[in-house]
Amino acid sequence: MPANATKYCPRPDHSTLQLPCGHPSCQRYFKTAAGRTKHRLSAHPIIPQPVSAPCPPFPELLDPGNDQQREDDVPFNADEVPRPSSPPADVNAKFYGPGKQFYRNYHKGLDGRPCDENSVFLSPGTLPPPLVEHPADDWTPFWNRIEFEAAEFLFCKDQMSASHIDTLLDLWAATLAKHDDHLPFANHRDLYQTIDSIPLGDVPWQNFAVKFCGDKLDVDIPPWMNGSYDVWFQDPCEVVRNMLANPMYADEMDYQPYCEYASATDERQWKDFMSADWAWDQADEISKDPDTVGATFVPVILSSDKTTVSVGTGNNEYYPLYLSIGNVRNNVHRFLAMPKMHAEDPKFRKFRRQLFHSSLSKILQPLKPGMTKPEVARFGDGHFCHVVYGLGPYITDYEEQVLLGCIVKRWCARCLASRLNLDDDALDHCREYVDALVEEGTLLEIWDDYGIVGDIVPFTNDFPRADINRLIAPDLLHQLIKGAFKDHLVDWVEKYLLLTHGKREAQRIMDNIDRRIAAVASFTGLRRFPEGRGFKQWTGDDSKALMKVYLPAIEGHLPQDIVRAFRTLLEFCYLVRRNIITEKTLTKIQDALARFHHYREAFRDAGVVPTFSLPRQHSLKHYIQLIRLFGAPNGLCSLITESKHIKAVKEPWRRSSRFNALGQMLRTNQRLDKLAALRVDFTRRNMVSGTCLSAVVMALRIAPLNGSNANVLDVDEGHDDGEVDDESTVLQADVQLAQTPLELNIAHLPNLLRQFLFEQKHPNDTRDISEVSEFHFPHYDGGISVFNSASSRFYSPSDLSGIGGMRMEYICACRQWRNGHACNDCIFINMKPELEGMQGFDIARVLFIWWFDTVGDSPDEDTGMWIVQPAYRANHSPHMSIIHIDSIYCAAHLIPVYGAQFVSHDLKYYQSYDSFRAYYVNKYADHHAFEIAF
């Protein structure tokens, strides 16, 4: 402390308190016991008795009376897929998941048998060869953990510029000058050179140049004809091998194609990529070669999408290509770069098409030998295995589908339906059919009559078992969310209002729709639109958020059939987005699509659109087929790759000098890859558990036990709020109150509490509580604690969830939310667990418990949502009560039934639950609500 420190206000010292979480699988450390407790409640809930729910998270269980296990039943862990050391004797060998909810039939030929590095298959039970281990204190190329984590923080997390790194190191040097200590790095160059010397994750960038080689004009030669185009890429074979060998994905990997069935009904279901038909069919074809028996099939999934990094400084566009493998359940992508291209010259467009296909063929050539002859690769579990590569589905928007499928715009890349009526039934595209057309007809004929660009050779023609038109994957973002919903139906609403009401009245109605959207109450994960939907730059997240609140906003202003068209499209979108899709789900998807095609005719009848032959709407016809081929579409979606644009393209571009930026961007990405790979290696060696500070504190505490005279920091680990259960608990929903109560004096709360105690003591009393005399109510004279919030944890794998599909949200009941308005959320109350959907739930608001009555015995026909209204007693007082917390399932979201009413400009979103007579139970608030509020 400085000598003159007394003249300043006292300042706290840095806290060295490092409290471990205590859970066996968690390495988190905390500075306060309260922080640790909050983390435990969120990440490691302890549930004595799971709460039952009318909507189970998994398919139904087997008949409990059947205790006899079949001979071919083998225990199966859904998170750790077993790898048979030999092919099963029967192709129908069955593997069971937790609780025996499903079983799998694995492919007989490509069963992923382990082998040694010399390609010799191992005997069953043979352990993998040990890895070359480095000492636990080997931080090469860094000196210690502080250097590694400092580099990771400066380069990856903070993304600090070179000049700022030098400034920080100068300040750091000033603080260490008196202690004769050394800095982690001399300057930013030393930092960059150290990162570049990391030996792991080193897949170097390669490039090749492409030029136009056709006939050139004698005069006025366009610049692109003389230009040279550099294509940069990483060896895809090395990238795939790194993915396979990554120990973090050892338990996230499927080694065999399989078919999955619900145990109770034997109903087929689709989830991960390897559970679908395409992988199985490819394995059938590959296993015809006896040399491939026992190998693992590795499908290579590709995706590309143009992205713009700057509009105002030259419209800098890049075409990144992303790569993943179908074996990984949680998609893992790597970044490959394509060049920027310009010009609208028809000759250039042809050159651009062939450049694109030729570049892809060149980039993927290293994978080609392994597509016919098995190669030996190491996997994350340490075993070697024969692998056979194959080109899998390609994820991209329609504009790139036209480029990839070598088709004319407004035609379909998957089928041969005419652009004049895309909804006609038609055969699928195939390479043989296209080759026959090219051989028999002229280029102009097949262009006009079949929509095929015959003078372009698809890149898939250079690889076995590959046909680009059959590899086009579904794209939820561009086809459904931004396409059929936002760009079509939402825009058609405005056109309909203009045609029907004229410009002035249409604008008045649109303004009211915006006010309705702005008046929607807040909800966890729900994006608000304070100004409605009237803004220019729409993102995919904006379109997804609008889907959740748009339907009630237009109801009352538009005809019934148009409202129902929105309802059926939303149902289609939410059904295909499910994490697990069963045969019953496919039937519902087909039904929703048929109803959507029926109700959308209202737009054509009104003169809004002349035709529905729109490629993005037509793509809906292929979804059932694509689900059967490639699994649940939420695993194959450009939502994944678009989110990668920021990390792979936009952030590296912002860190560049903007001059010849591509090389700098590639260098940044390579350094990020190296640091990520090194962290994986350190994690495997258990060298980065906890934090730097916790490691130092632990070392200082252990040193005296080893005979050292080092000083010991006395660390108070605080009060332990409870032991952590070592056994994982499968739960469907659980609600826990906040940790801090408030002492309040509320006049009528004691009466509600006495009524609650009477109901608990007399559960079989069928009388309405208002008919019971207060004389019979138990007396309670103790204190009452009121909590402002509760946390709800439930299983919701179709939403963006945590590990294992668990999700947490907060239910609030406070007088002032963020020092402003009151916040009293609504909830689902689990009243009749034996019933499904909304028939098993009641809705209430956590103002105490203010009940809502359900209107009718079925959902609203137009919107598909149940309608509820605040409940009142016979004396017209609000029907309030107290319930047991175990009855709460999760939070609910309500949207007012606006009808034809115009919403006041003064209505605020936090007044929504107090201002209307009836509400829709918003089943579109998230995918979990859609699966329980039907």
Side-chain angles (χ1 to χ4, degrees):
M1 181 178 293
N4 60 348
T6 55
K7 69 171 65 175
Y8 301 104
C9 296
R11 297 174 56 187
D13 293 329
H14 177 74
S15 173
T16 59
L17 190 63
Q18 295 287 291
L19 307 180
C21 167
H23 193 276
S25 61
C26 185
Q27 301 294 332
R28 293 281 303 276
Y29 280 74
F30 303 90
K31 288 186 177 296
T32 65
R36 178 174 61 179
T37 299
K38 183 178 180 180
H39 162 76
R40 285 179 174 179
L41 292 174
S42 172
H44 314 294
I46 305 171
I47 312 301
Q49 293 182 349
V51 180
S52 60
C55 180
F58 295 105
E60 295 180 4
L61 308 183
L62 283 175
D63 182 1
N66 183 12
D67 296 330
Q68 183 66 34
Q69 187 180 31
R70 287 167 286 186
E71 293 181 358
D72 56 356
D73 292 349
V74 181
F76 173 79
N77 187 322
D79 295 324
E80 297 181 2
V81 179
R83 301 181 58 191
S85 297
S86 58
D90 180 6
V91 71
N92 293 316
K94 302 185 179 181
F95 300 83
Y96 282 81
K100 295 187 178 181
Q101 287 107 10
F102 63 85
Y103 65 91
R104 293 177 175 178
N105 292 350
Y106 280 89
H107 195 273
K108 185 176 181 180
L110 302 188
D111 58 356
R113 269 180 282 174
C115 66
D116 60 23
E117 56 187 330
N118 297 317
S119 187
V120 178
F121 286 117
L122 302 177
S123 302
T126 304
L127 295 176
L131 297 172
V132 178
E133 290 293 345
H134 299 278
D137 58 350
D138 183 4
W139 296 91
T140 305
F142 300 96
W143 286 103
N144 49 45
R145 179 173 180 175
I146 294 177
E147 281 197 4
F148 166 69
E149 296 206 1
E152 195 176 43
F153 172 78
L154 294 173
F155 194 82
C156 301
K157 297 179 181 178
D158 191 73
Q159 301 179 12
M160 192 175 291
S161 66
S163 61
H164 288 183
I165 291 174
D166 289 341
T167 301
L168 177 64
L169 291 172
D170 287 343
L171 294 173
W172 199 337
T175 63
L176 297 179
K178 294 183 179 180
H179 301 283
D180 195 24
D181 208 342
H182 71 279
L183 293 176
F185 308 101
N187 48 44
H188 73 274
R189 293 187 183 86
D190 182 29
L191 169 64
Y192 296 159
Q193 290 172 1
T194 305
I195 296 175
D196 291 338
S197 65
I198 296 175
L200 301 176
D202 191 12
V203 182
W205 288 92
Q206 308 174 43
N207 75 305
F208 56 87
V210 181
K211 285 186 175 183
F212 177 75
C213 298
D215 296 332
K216 298 181 181 180
L217 302 175
D218 295 331
V219 294
D220 296 329
I221 300 176
W224 61 266
M225 285 190 175
N226 291 325
S228 176
Y229 296 87
D230 289 332
V231 181
W232 290 84
F233 68 100
Q234 289 176 300
D235 186 334
C237 191
E238 291 300 317
V239 172
V240 170
R241 284 176 171 271
N242 283 350
M243 291 182 183
L244 295 174
N246 193 331
M248 294 184 66
Y249 307 130
D251 296 334
E252 303 288 341
M253 190 85 65
D254 288 320
Y255 298 89
Q256 303 169 249
Y258 60 89
C259 295
E260 189 169 283
Y261 302 87
S263 301
T265 61
D266 287 337
E267 182 184 15
R268 176 82 182 273
Q269 60 188 36
W270 292 265
K271 184 182 177 185
D272 298 313
F273 181 79
M274 297 296 276
S275 70
D277 294 346
W278 184 87
W280 188 284
D281 294 341
Q282 289 285 301
D284 282 345
E285 185 68 23
I286 294 170
S287 59
K288 292 178 181 179
D289 183 351
D291 292 337
T292 64
V293 174
T296 294
F297 175 48
V298 180
V300 176
I301 299 174
L302 301 172
S303 176
S304 60
D305 188 20
K306 180 182 69 176
T307 184
T308 302
V309 295
S310 175
V311 176
T313 57
N315 194 30
N316 292 300
E317 296 177 347
Y318 292 90
Y319 288 81
L321 176 70
Y322 298 94
L323 179 148
S324 184
I325 54 176
N327 312 80
V328 180
R329 298 185 196 131
N330 295 330
N331 287 285
V332 183
H333 297 275
R334 299 294 290 268
F335 171 63
L336 307 174
M338 291 293 292
K340 177 178 65 176
M341 304 178 190
H342 296 289
E344 292 299 328
D345 187 332
K347 292 183 178 180
F348 176 81
R349 288 199 294 269
K350 177 182 177 181
F351 168 66
R352 177 179 176 270
R353 286 177 182 266
Q354 195 59 67
L355 168 62
F356 189 80
H357 284 276
S358 299
S359 299
L360 283 174
S361 178
K362 175 70 173 178
I363 289 172
L364 298 172
Q365 281 301 312
L367 291 168
K368 187 172 182 179
M371 294 181 179
T372 53
K373 183 178 180 181
E375 297 180 354
V376 177
R378 191 163 200 161
F379 283 74
D381 61 0
H383 276 295
F384 289 93
C385 187
H386 294 168
V387 295
V388 178
Y389 304 117
L391 293 185
Y394 202 114
I395 312 166
T396 189
D397 187 15
Y398 178 73
E399 300 298 330
E400 278 74 29
Q401 289 181 15
V402 171
L403 179 63
L404 280 165
C406 301
I407 62 169
V408 181
K409 199 169 183 179
R410 300 188 67 83
W411 291 74
C412 177
R414 283 203 60 90
C415 73
L416 298 170
S418 170
R419 66 178 178 85
L420 300 177
N421 192 355
L422 286 174
D423 287 335
D424 278 351
D425 293 332
L427 297 175
D428 287 342
H429 264 292
C430 67
R431 181 196 292 185
E432 294 77 13
Y433 183 80
V434 173
D435 290 343
L437 288 176
V438 172
E439 184 176 346
E440 296 294 331
T442 66
L443 294 178
L444 183 60
E445 287 174 342
I446 63 175
W447 177 290
D448 291 336
D449 298 339
Y450 300 98
I452 295 173
V453 182
D455 55 349
I456 301 297
V457 180
F459 77 96
T460 50
N461 285 18
D462 296 335
F463 300 94
R465 307 182 306 276
D467 184 344
I468 185 58
N469 298 107
R470 293 186 173 182
L471 295 177
I472 299 296
D475 184 0
L476 298 175
L477 175 62
H478 294 102
Q479 292 171 347
L480 299 184
I481 299 172
K482 294 176 69 174
F485 174 75
K486 172 60 179 64
D487 293 341
H488 294 164
L489 265 62
V490 173
D491 288 350
W492 293 351
V493 165
E494 187 169 0
K495 293 179 182 178
Y496 172 86
L497 293 174
L498 286 171
L499 288 173
T500 306
H501 299 285
K503 184 175 181 180
R504 184 171 182 177
E505 181 63 16
Q507 187 59 51
R508 179 170 172 264
I509 295 174
M510 291 302 299
D511 289 343
N512 186 56
I513 291 175
D514 286 341
R515 290 197 298 274
R516 289 180 173 187
I517 294 172
V520 171
S522 59
F523 185 72
T524 302
L526 188 67
R527 178 175 298 191
R528 291 198 59 256
F529 294 89
E531 304 298 329
R533 36 128 292 273
F535 52 91
K536 296 181 180 179
Q537 186 65 36
W538 279 86
T539 66
D541 288 339
D542 293 327
S543 298
K544 284 189 294 181
L546 186 66
M547 293 178 73
K548 301 177 181 181
V549 298
Y550 192 74
L551 185 55
I554 63 173
E555 199 270 335
H557 286 314
L558 294 167
Q560 185 182 68
D561 281 2
I562 290 182
V563 175
R564 292 185 177 184
F566 273 93
R567 170 200 168 173
T568 51
L569 179 64
L570 290 176
E571 289 180 348
F572 181 92
C573 294
Y574 278 70
L575 286 169
V576 299
R577 177 62 178 78
R578 283 186 172 176
N579 187 55
I580 296 177
I581 297 179
T582 65
E583 292 281 3
K584 292 180 180 178
T585 309
L586 293 181
T587 302
K588 293 179 181 178
I589 291 172
Q590 183 61 52
D591 176 65
L593 181 61
R595 288 184 288 122
F596 171 65
H597 285 167
H598 170 74
Y599 289 124
R600 72 177 181 180
E601 290 293 332
F603 288 107
R604 180 154 53 187
D605 295 342
V608 176
V609 291
T611 179
F612 294 114
S613 287
L614 304 169
R616 289 184 176 88
Q617 283 209 21
H618 165 70
S619 66
L620 275 62
K621 287 193 63 175
H622 295 301
Y623 266 68
I624 291 179
Q625 177 192 16
L626 294 175
I627 289 169
R628 293 182 182 275
L629 286 174
F630 302 136
N634 63 354
L636 295 174
C637 180
S638 57
L639 283 167
I640 302 170
T641 54
E642 285 222 345
S643 65
K644 300 292 182 183
H645 285 343
I646 297 175
K647 293 293 184 184
V649 182
K650 296 185 178 182
E651 286 184 355
W653 184 84
R654 296 186 192 116
R655 298 171 68 169
S656 72
S657 67
R658 274 67 160 181
F659 177 72
N660 291 333
L662 183 57
Q664 301 171 54
M665 293 163 61
L666 302 183
R667 191 180 305 113
T668 296
N669 276 291
Q670 189 165 24
R671 288 169 177 167
L672 292 171
D673 288 345
K674 285 174 170 286
L675 285 169
L678 193 59
R679 170 162 282 276
V680 170
D681 183 59
F682 289 159
T683 300
R684 182 184 60 81
R685 289 191 269 158
N686 199 29
M687 295 169 60
V688 288
S689 59
T691 65
C692 276
L693 183 57
S694 67
V696 172
V697 170
M698 185 60 67
L700 292 174
R701 296 180 64 190
I702 294 176
L705 301 178
N706 296 331
S708 172
N709 294 323
N711 294 328
V712 182
L713 291 178
D714 185 13
V715 179
D716 179 14
E717 294 196 358
H719 176 67
D720 193 350
D721 295 298
E723 297 181 358
V724 178
D725 189 1
D726 290 345
E727 297 181 1
S728 59
T729 306
V730 178
L731 70 155
Q732 297 170 1
D734 169 66
V735 177
Q736 294 185 3
L737 292 173
Q739 297 300 301
T740 305
L742 300 176
E743 295 291 342
L744 299 177
N745 294 319
I746 303 177
H748 53 291
L749 182 57
N751 288 335
L752 295 177
L753 180 58
R754 293 175 61 199
Q755 295 174 10
F756 170 73
L757 294 176
F758 175 83
E759 292 172 342
Q760 296 296 304
K761 292 183 64 176
H762 304 86
N764 297 323
D765 194 321
T766 58
R767 291 177 295 174
D768 186 272
I769 194 66
S770 61
E771 300 175 359
V772 181
S773 171
E774 292 187 8
F775 176 79
H776 298 290
F777 293 162
H779 288 279
Y780 178 77
D781 298 325
I784 298 176
S785 297
V786 179
F787 296 83
N788 276 340
S789 66
S791 61
S792 172
R793 287 175 292 277
F794 49 89
Y795 182 82
S796 179
S798 295
D799 287 298
L800 294 177
S801 309
I803 296 175
M806 296 305 300
R807 186 180 177 201
M808 187 183 75
E809 63 188 13
Y810 287 97
I811 302 169
C812 297
C814 55
R815 293 176 297 173
Q816 281 192 317
W817 174 252
R818 295 178 177 173
N819 296 322
H821 56 82
C823 181
N824 298 94
D825 291 333
C826 294
I827 54 175
F828 288 101
I829 299 179
N830 191 7
M831 299 300 293
K832 301 174 182 178
E834 69 279 4
L835 298 180
E836 293 184 341
M838 276 294 294
Q839 293 180 344
F841 286 117
D842 277 350
I843 301 295
R845 191 179 179 194
V846 286
L847 181 67
F848 311 125
I849 290 297
W850 186 352
W851 294 96
F852 284 76
D853 290 333
T854 302
V855 179
D857 55 1
S858 63
D860 176 61
E861 286 293 331
D862 295 337
T863 64
M865 294 183 283
W866 288 79
I867 298 177
V868 296
Q869 61 187 12
Y872 292 89
R873 297 189 183 275
N875 60 0
H876 303 292
S877 64
H879 183 185
M880 293 185 177
S881 64
I882 295 175
I883 63 172
H884 200 285
I885 192 173
D886 285 350
S887 301
I888 301 176
Y889 187 69
C890 66
H893 186 241
L894 307 184
I895 298 182
V897 178
Y898 297 107
Q901 176 183 357
F902 277 70
V903 176
S904 169
H905 289 273
D906 299 327
L907 180 67
K908 307 298 182 183
Y909 72 93
Y910 51 81
Q911 299 170 335
S912 177
Y913 288 159
D914 300 310
S915 305
F916 296 88
R917 296 181 179 179
Y919 298 85
Y920 292 113
V921 180
N922 185 12
K923 70 176 184 179
Y924 304 111
D926 53 40
H927 293 279
H928 183 249
F930 183 80
E931 294 180 5
I932 67 174
F934 58 89

